[in-house]
Amino acid sequence: MKLLSTKATCNSHGQDSSYFLGWQEYEKNPYDEVMNPEGIIQMGLAENQLSFDLIESWLDKNPDVPGFKSNGKSIFRELALFQDYHGLPSFKKELVDFMAEIRGNKVTFDPNHIVLTAGSTPANETLMFCLAEKGEAFLLPTPYYPGFDRDLKWRTGVEIVPIQCTSSNNFQITEPALQQAYQDAKKRNLRVKGVLVTNPSNPLGTTMSRSELNLLIDFIKDKNMHLISDEIYSGTVYSSPGFVSVMEILKERNDLKDCDVPVGDRVHVVYSLSKDLGLPGFRVGAIYSENEVVVGAATKMSSFGLVSSQTQYLLSAMLGDKKFTKNYISENQKRLKRRQRMLVSGLQKAGISCLKTNNAGLFCWVDMSHLLHSNTFEAEMDLWKKILYEVRLNISPGASCHCTEPGWFRMCFANMSEDTLNLAMKRLKAFVAAESNDNACSKRTSRRKSLSNWVFRLSSRDHREQEER
Amino acid sequence: MVLGGKSQQLLSKIATNDKHGENSPYFDGWKAYDRNPFHPTNNPQGVIQMGLAENQLCFDLIEEWIRNNPKASICTPEGLHQFRNIANFQDYHGLQEFRNAMANFMSKVRGGRVRFDPERILMSGGATGANELIMFCLADPGDAFMIPTPFYPGFVRDLCWRTGMQLIPVHSDSSNNFKITREALEAAYKKAKEDNINVKGLIITNPSNPLGTTLDKDTLKSLVSFTNEKNIHLVCDEIYAATVFSSPNYVSVAEVIQEVEHCKRELIHVIYSLSKDMGFPGFRVGIVYSFNDEVVNCGRKMSSFGLVSSQTQHMLASMLSDENFVTRFLKENSRRLEKRHDKFMKGLEEVNITRFPSNAGLFCWMNLKSLLKEPTFEDELKLWRVIIHEVKLNVSPGSSFNCSEPGWFRVCFANMDDETVDIALNRIRAFVGRETKKPLGMKRWQPNLSLSFSSRMFDETAVMSPHSPIPTSPLVRAT
């Protein structure tokens, strides 16, 4: 008899993928300015480390909060006991206000419709448990966040069917691609329960256009399925066209109630403070849905991963300070923009371009296809290994994001200092230069080789042709 | 939104069935409490919450420690310099210092008789998350775990809801003091096999909820040998380990396996949490400790679904590695629990209410069989409704714990102050006094109650979750 469960012994956790292997190599040899200047620079981790000082300064000015005090009275006991899965009311209110603020207050959220979870990882898994049976499927546009293979599929048994997007239109979702994905699922005998998108996109670092969002709404309306919009990067949009949430589209359209189940009941948003506020350690995630049955079921499921009450309390105070949030959102975006520009220009100097529609996120989607020795994923893997072991940069290969075209890589820029980023760009430039020298050499070698072959062939024929060449 | 068939179809079975178990009477009593919560001055006639196993006796010790250790917080001026590192830390291995401190604490709770390896400590979202996680690692949908009755009602949700696992109750009753016998285990196992059910293991809670007792070494050894022999897992939920207040001393499964020859350690797993021992259910600190390397490996990846907040890890790493504090806390915690237990027992004895003799836990297992008209579960529930609505105490009926005999009730005593205990005991005295004065032929009580269960099935707003029993908490009242 099998000792452990199938889940424990399979590898659907996806952690054998290169996305995670790169981290392992980094752990063995991590860059440190002083202690290990030759080490691997971590560019595979989408963390926002640019704005901690803003939070630290807020904490400095608000000493009551860490002391578990409210109006001078100790509330430690109440916090220590508070395990209500409905969440701290004050925190939920401040969280939804924060979410609305990020969306320019063009939409509002009802705190009774939000479910708190320990990060967006369980939020996404919980939605799968609520919306799909084992063996059913969700459609996801490629490229997508590698962690989804674990979060959406592992313990739920739900399948992912890709919506293939290509560089020809900057990886935007098209109607034919949606329909094709739907057909692919059918061929695999998979019942599709919905579509899941990340907006802004990871790994593309772009916001979804209004037409894409409307396309998705049309699609799920027609097919009577769900749409999950993972908006955990919503606060990281730093340049135009600006962020449009699916909730805005829902508000604008007036044709969404004339179906069996109103579309509004089939759209669910996932959020987290890990990227926007740079607090992944605090495990703060949320599911937002107008569908009360989903909210009810997800709330019960949140028992398996509630947000620590001390963290809820801290954040409700912080997010309740509207002066702080206003300043934070705008300053954070400025810093991200500046840092992205640094990466883009550094890449340009190395003759590398990235997705020109990049306007959000903590990373760039970089095109290194011209550096591949062949237009294959094997070549991409070879290049990735070179970059990891020779250039000593851990970046994420497109294949790990299920990209259909080889040569694309995700490079993160917000989890290091400016100096480190400059160093990374220097290393990359040197590598590319060396590579092109090598290529030139090998081209010369191969020209010489083919010349001598030709000469060899000619030697038995006419010498004059060779001189002309 | 109309809750019609079409809407239901769009959701999964898990989302729409009631295997979350929240329609059980265990959670129902909280509704009555929530509608009319007791408060000494604002609502002295309200319902006293005695259905929530919380430990509120030692907060003063912890508050004092926090005041004296501002560095343990990443938000104080003393601790602020660590803020960014901690806020950024999402590694599912957990902070090393947190795991070291937990391993140390767990060992101290067991009198230093066993050492725990920090590398085997996995985090999860409270014991709730820990129990679900271990099942995901050990069982496939349809597989089964044996579980002695009576057991914590939340197990139905925690172990079975999303995992698709099933529970096989192994019944015990008061005739042999609810002991888990080898015969009962063998019989249950045999029957499962005959029914073609794949039994993957046995799960026990030690100290027991709701009995409030610890298992003796011999019984533990026999459980280890039984599961070893059948090559199935043994999961021991030890979340009440530090609530042992009188003899016999606590024996953990981790201790026992050191003494069992040729023990198959890879079959042994411990579940732990700080919710009961320290009274921190809000901080969501659950631990899975497995002696099986593969489970540790896989479980660690799964812990991504419910990591402990790094802010909390950091604070606890500091608190639990303070040896002096821990020693003092554990001693004082036991002393206060014993005092509270003794006070409550004395009160019950005065009105001839017997209870199951206990040496641990935050509750007692009360025997109210004499107040049942008929020894049926129907009458048990009727009595329970009277206790809630007339006596105004929320207690938990034995049937919600899957107890095989009617008339038992679990009553919690560590989640209130001394004065409230007195009031609760007065109410019990008055009620029992009234009941025993009535002529025997006459019906003991007239249940005039319109409380019904079925209307709650789809009433989402009535969904209960463990609440802080302090009605005037500013947190619940927040804008």
Side-chain angles (χ1 to χ4, degrees):
Chain A
M1 183 195 66
K2 232 172 6 89
L3 201 59
L4 304 186
S5 67
T6 310
K7 290 177 183 70
T9 47
C10 68
N11 63 358
S12 304
H13 49 72
Q15 287 189 206
D16 297 332
S17 100
S18 50
Y19 181 74
F20 295 99
L21 286 175
W23 286 5
Q24 285 171 22
E25 289 307 308
Y26 164 77
E27 297 290 330
K28 289 184 200 158
N29 181 22
Y31 168 79
D32 182 283
E33 202 180 348
V34 171
M35 307 291 274
N36 190 18
E38 297 306 312
I40 299 177
I41 297 176
Q42 174 65 286
M43 302 190 82
L45 198 46
E47 279 174 356
N48 181 359
Q49 296 190 23
L50 305 187
S51 303
F52 282 129
D53 58 311
L54 301 178
I55 297 177
E56 284 159 346
S57 125
W58 184 89
L59 286 169
D60 206 36
K61 300 195 193 95
N62 292 270
D64 241 15
V65 178
F68 291 107
K69 282 201 188 66
S70 172
N71 298 325
K73 187 170 159 278
S74 169
I75 53 161
F76 175 82
R77 167 189 293 248
E78 284 91 336
L79 273 180
L81 290 172
F82 189 85
Q83 57 170 327
D84 184 351
Y85 59 31
H86 291 100
L88 209 58
S90 59
F91 176 55
K92 288 201 298 182
K93 179 176 179 305
E94 301 307 343
L95 183 61
V96 302
D97 283 352
F98 185 65
M99 287 167 70
E101 197 178 348
I102 286 176
R103 288 153 184 74
N105 289 312
K106 290 187 217 123
V107 285
T108 52
F109 298 88
D110 177 356
N112 292 321
H113 285 259
I114 203 153
V115 181
L116 300 176
T117 59
S120 62
T121 299
N124 281 310
E125 189 196 45
T126 292
L127 277 174
M128 288 299 110
F129 273 122
C130 287
L131 306 179
E133 307 295 343
K134 181 176 177 212
E136 293 181 335
F138 261 75
L139 308 181
L140 264 67
T142 64
Y144 64 76
Y145 163 56
F148 278 150
D149 289 324
R150 171 196 61 192
D151 302 351
L152 306 179
K153 294 168 45 171
W154 189 19
R155 306 191 307 180
T156 61
V158 171
E159 291 293 337
I160 294 177
V161 176
I163 303 165
Q164 315 284 19
C165 300
T166 66
S167 58
S168 61
N169 70 341
N170 295 316
F171 296 96
Q172 289 193 77
I173 302 175
T174 64
E175 161 112 48
L178 266 174
Q179 297 293 352
Q180 182 62 52
Y182 188 72
Q183 293 307 319
D184 289 345
K186 249 180 153 180
K187 277 193 219 113
R188 287 168 61 181
N189 260 323
L190 297 169
R191 179 157 171 236
V192 180
K193 290 313 279 284
V195 181
L196 185 149
V197 299
T198 308
N199 176 29
S201 162
N202 173 11
L204 301 177
T206 55
T207 48
M208 277 190 137
S209 63
R210 283 201 124 81
S211 55
E212 279 173 286
L213 287 166
N214 275 304
L215 175 65
L216 288 168
I217 297 283
D218 290 337
F219 183 77
I220 65 154
K221 180 179 174 203
D222 174 55
K223 300 266 186 290
N224 204 33
M225 52 170 77
H226 295 275
L227 175 62
I228 298 174
S229 180
D230 185 336
E231 303 189 347
I232 70 169
Y233 290 98
S234 49
T236 67
V237 181
Y238 46 78
S239 57
S240 61
F243 178 57
V244 179
S245 164
V246 71
M247 298 304 285
E248 237 182 285
I249 304 289
L250 285 182
K251 211 172 153 189
E252 287 167 0
R253 290 176 66 147
N254 51 19
D255 60 328
L256 300 181
K257 293 210 160 75
D258 55 340
C259 31
D260 286 339
V261 178
V263 173
D265 284 345
R266 296 188 264 123
V267 174
H268 323 282
V269 173
V270 170
Y271 189 54
S272 157
L273 297 180
S274 300
K275 311 295 177 183
D276 289 352
L277 283 185
L279 305 174
F282 287 179
R283 312 317 300 148
V284 181
I287 296 170
Y288 186 85
S289 177
E290 297 289 344
N291 184 322
E292 281 166 11
V293 183
V294 170
V295 170
T299 301
K300 293 184 186 75
M301 285 190 197
S302 68
S303 296
F304 299 112
L306 298 173
V307 180
S308 173
S309 58
Q310 73 173 143
T311 303
Q312 292 189 52
Y313 180 65
L314 169 66
L315 294 172
S316 76
M318 195 188 300
L319 298 181
D321 183 342
K322 298 302 174 205
K323 219 168 138 218
F324 166 77
T325 56
K326 187 162 180 245
N327 180 49
Y328 183 95
I329 291 171
S330 90
E331 183 61 26
N332 181 46
Q333 285 167 0
K334 278 198 197 101
R335 296 179 186 188
L336 286 169
K337 185 179 191 171
R338 189 164 156 228
R339 190 57 77 84
Q340 184 254 15
R341 290 270 151 88
M342 269 183 73
L343 175 60
V344 170
S345 99
L347 289 171
Q348 265 168 9
K349 293 196 183 96
I352 298 173
S353 64
C354 33
L355 197 61
K356 57 181 192 275
T357 45
N358 181 204
N359 69 330
L362 310 172
F363 34 72
C364 288
W365 187 235
V366 179
D367 183 1
M368 299 209 222
S369 51
H370 60 293
L371 297 175
L372 299 183
H373 58 71
S374 62
N375 188 28
T376 61
F377 286 110
E378 287 76 26
E380 178 183 283
M381 188 56 31
D382 288 343
L383 178 59
W384 175 70
K385 284 191 188 138
K386 271 195 182 160
I387 296 177
L388 180 61
Y389 295 112
E390 289 176 26
V391 192
R392 285 152 295 126
L393 302 179
N394 179 34
I395 63 179
S396 313
S400 68
C401 303
H402 302 275
C403 187
T404 44
E405 307 172 13
W408 290 87
F409 291 79
R410 189 191 77 169
M411 293 181 74
C412 300
F413 55 69
N415 62 318
M416 63 190 74
S417 69
E418 280 190 15
D419 287 343
T420 310
L421 185 56
N422 281 328
L423 175 61
M425 292 301 95
K426 230 171 110 189
R427 288 186 188 176
L428 195 56
K429 187 161 175 244
F431 167 74
V432 172
E435 282 286 291
S436 64
N437 272 345
D438 281 350
N439 279 344
C441 276
S442 66
K443 278 204 181 95
R444 281 199 291 275
T445 317
S446 69
R447 246 186 270 132
R448 249 183 266 127
K449 269 207 184 127
S450 59
L451 192 62
S452 56
N453 278 344
W454 193 74
V455 165
F456 183 74
R457 283 202 297 274
L458 275 186
S459 62
S460 51
R461 290 175 8 181
D462 191 2
H463 289 269
R464 240 176 275 136
E465 275 185 69
Q466 182 193 336
E467 277 162 18
E468 270 163 32
R469 271 194 203 251
Chain B
M1 190 206 78
V2 174
L3 241 176
K6 288 243 154 40
S7 180
Q8 298 278 65
Q9 268 170 36
L10 268 187
L11 308 182
S12 68
K13 294 195 199 85
I14 290 178
T16 49
N17 67 24
D18 61 354
K19 294 218 169 106
H20 46 72
E22 288 190 21
N23 296 331
S24 116
Y26 179 74
F27 294 100
D28 231 47
W30 290 349
K31 191 176 178 182
Y33 165 76
D34 267 3
R35 277 189 192 143
N36 184 21
F38 169 81
H39 184 272
T41 48
N42 296 348
N43 190 18
Q45 300 308 318
V47 175
I48 299 179
Q49 175 63 282
M50 303 191 84
L52 195 51
E54 278 176 354
N55 181 356
Q56 294 191 26
L57 304 185
C58 291
F59 282 127
D60 56 317
L61 302 177
I62 298 171
E63 281 164 338
E64 191 197 354
W65 187 92
I66 288 177
R67 264 196 308 274
N68 295 337
N69 291 272
K71 259 165 100 178
S73 164
I74 46 175
C75 309
T76 55
E78 296 85 343
L80 194 53
H81 63 281
Q82 299 183 85
F83 180 86
R84 61 181 64 195
N85 283 338
I86 299 296
N88 206 42
F89 186 85
Q90 58 171 330
D91 183 342
Y92 61 24
H93 288 85
L95 286 173
Q96 184 71 55
E97 51 274 29
F98 171 68
R99 281 181 289 129
N100 291 344
M102 278 304 312
N104 217 9
F105 181 74
M106 287 167 71
S107 172
K108 262 193 128 77
V109 167
R110 290 153 184 76
R113 294 181 294 276
V114 65
R115 298 200 59 82
F116 290 90
D117 176 2
E119 303 310 308
R120 290 191 176 282
I121 288 187
L122 308 179
M123 297 180 289
S124 55
T128 300
N131 278 310
E132 190 194 47
L133 192 152
I134 196 70
M135 289 306 143
F136 269 125
C137 288
L138 304 181
D140 285 326
D143 286 346
F145 256 72
M146 299 195 299
I147 184 166
T149 67
F151 63 80
Y152 164 59
F155 274 150
V156 172
R157 171 197 61 191
D158 302 351
L159 307 175
C160 305
W161 188 23
R162 306 190 306 179
T163 59
M165 217 259 299
Q166 54 177 316
L167 289 175
I168 297 177
V170 181
H171 287 295
S172 60
D173 55 56
S174 57
S175 62
N176 74 338
N177 290 322
F178 293 102
K179 211 167 152 27
I180 313 169
T181 62
R182 184 81 185 223
E183 293 73 38
L185 287 172
E186 293 281 3
Y189 185 78
K190 184 158 173 263
K191 175 139 199 321
K193 285 282 175 186
E194 282 160 10
D195 293 343
N196 251 323
I197 298 174
N198 192 19
V199 180
K200 289 308 281 281
L202 167 68
I203 179 165
I204 62 168
T205 307
N206 177 34
S208 161
N209 173 13
L211 302 177
T213 52
T214 50
L215 288 176
D216 60 274
K217 209 180 246 198
D218 285 335
T219 306
L220 268 172
K221 275 189 175 165
S222 87
L223 296 179
V224 171
S225 83
F226 169 77
T227 48
N228 260 218
E229 193 189 293
K230 303 281 187 273
N231 209 36
I232 60 178
H233 296 280
L234 178 60
V235 176
C236 297
D237 187 335
E238 301 193 340
I239 72 168
Y240 290 99
T243 66
V244 179
F245 51 78
S246 67
S247 63
N249 277 336
Y250 181 56
V251 181
S252 156
V253 70
E255 240 184 282
V256 159
I257 62 176
Q258 283 169 162
E259 298 176 18
V260 172
E261 263 193 34
H262 309 299
C263 179
K264 291 183 199 161
R265 291 189 173 208
E266 68 276 12
L267 295 175
I268 313 286
H269 322 274
V270 177
I271 300 296
Y272 190 55
S273 157
L274 296 180
S275 301
K276 310 296 177 182
D277 287 352
M278 299 212 67
F280 290 160
F283 295 166
R284 313 316 302 148
V285 184
I287 303 288
V288 175
Y289 188 94
S290 175
F291 291 90
N292 182 313
D293 292 346
E294 262 186 274
V295 170
V296 169
N297 224 325
C298 157
R300 186 179 286 130
K301 296 177 177 82
M302 277 193 193
S303 65
S304 297
F305 297 109
L307 296 173
V308 176
S309 168
S310 55
Q311 174 190 17
T312 302
Q313 287 186 53
H314 178 75
M315 177 185 78
L316 293 173
S318 195
M319 194 189 291
L320 299 182
S321 56
D322 182 341
E323 301 268 352
N324 285 335
F325 169 75
V326 168
T327 307
R328 230 170 26 99
F329 178 89
L330 291 176
K331 193 159 165 223
E332 188 59 17
N333 188 40
S334 283
R335 195 190 69 79
R336 293 182 188 186
L337 278 170
E338 183 174 26
K339 189 163 168 233
R340 178 57 66 83
H341 164 269
D342 289 352
K343 179 187 171 85
F344 198 71
M345 293 315 113
K346 199 151 164 282
L348 292 182
E349 272 161 21
E350 279 169 17
V351 285
N352 293 322
I353 290 182
T354 55
R355 77 305 181 295
F356 197 66
S358 57
N359 66 326
L362 311 172
F363 34 69
C364 82
W365 192 231
M366 222 170 35
N367 183 348
L368 298 182
K369 287 180 188 174
S370 59
L371 297 179
L372 295 185
K373 185 166 161 289
E374 304 286 336
T376 62
F377 287 112
E378 209 185 30
D379 271 16
E380 178 185 281
L381 282 183
K382 283 186 184 153
L383 174 58
W384 174 63
R385 285 181 201 142
V386 168
I387 296 176
I388 291 185
H389 292 276
E390 286 185 22
V391 193
K392 303 251 177 53
L393 301 177
N394 179 30
V395 301
S396 313
S399 50
S400 65
F401 291 87
N402 257 265
C403 186
S404 56
E405 50 185 72
W408 293 92
F409 289 78
R410 190 192 76 170
V411 188
C412 299
F413 54 65
N415 61 321
M416 58 191 73
D417 57 30
D418 279 328
E419 289 74 29
T420 312
V421 175
D422 286 332
I423 295 172
L425 285 172
N426 282 338
R427 288 184 187 180
I428 293 174
R429 261 184 228 116
F431 171 67
V432 175
R434 284 198 302 273
E435 291 310 302
T436 48
K437 281 201 187 93
K438 286 186 187 150
L440 276 172
M442 177 179 157
K443 235 187 170 162
R444 288 264 169 109
W445 24 264
Q446 308 292 336
N448 245 347
L449 311 161
S450 53
L451 182 70
S452 76
F453 289 117
S454 54
S455 62
R456 278 202 66 246
M457 286 295 272
F458 293 112
D459 183 2
E460 288 305 324
T461 55
V463 163
M464 280 303 114
S465 82
H467 261 66
S468 162
I470 303 171
T472 56
S473 162
L475 306 178
V476 178
R477 250 203 344 233
T479 50

